[in-house]
């Protein structure tokens, strides 16, 4: 999935990585980086997939779902 929105800043991507790996609790409601992505990541992980993010501020974000089989 790809969009042409605001993109995700490098510090926000690092935050997401920490949340997804369980090293940090999500800060739900923090300007669009809250519960939704955490739930999607959990769903993907439980079904044997991984999310990969590629984003540049001002250029949008691409999210890939990598399936393990």
């Amino acid at each position: 999935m790809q969009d042409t929105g605001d993109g995700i800043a490098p510090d926000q991507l690092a935050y997401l990585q920490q949340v997804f790996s369980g090293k940090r609790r999500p800060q739900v409601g923090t300007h669009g980086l809250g519960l939704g992505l955490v739930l999607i990541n959990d769903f993907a992980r439980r079904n044997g997939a991984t999310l990969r993010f590629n984003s540049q501020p001002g250029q949008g974000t691409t999210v890939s779902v990598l399936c393990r089989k």
Side-chain angles (χ1 to χ4, degrees), residues 20 34-45:
F20 291 168
L35 189 56
L37 286 176
V38 172
L39 290 174
I40 291 168
N41 182 69
D42 185 61
F43 178 82
R45 188 177 47 83

Side-chain angles (χ1 to χ4, degrees), residues 4-15:
T4 57
D6 294 337
I8 303 173
D11 62 323
Q12 291 174 320
L13 282 174
Y15 160 78

Side-chain angles (χ1 to χ4, degrees), residues 17-69:
Q17 199 64 24
Q18 290 176 343
V19 169
F20 291 168
S21 67
K23 295 178 182 176
R24 187 170 181 176
R25 293 183 59 104
Q27 297 173 357
V28 176
T30 304
H31 190 62
L33 284 177
L35 189 56
L37 286 176
V38 172
L39 290 174
I40 291 168
N41 182 69
D42 185 61
F43 178 82
R45 188 177 47 83
R46 288 175 187 255
N47 287 282
T50 304
L51 298 182
R52 178 183 294 164
F53 291 85
N54 184 7
S55 186
Q56 295 293 323
Q59 296 181 11
T61 301
T62 300
V63 179
S64 303
V65 180
L66 308 171
C67 299
R68 291 179 249 148
K69 279 206 169 197

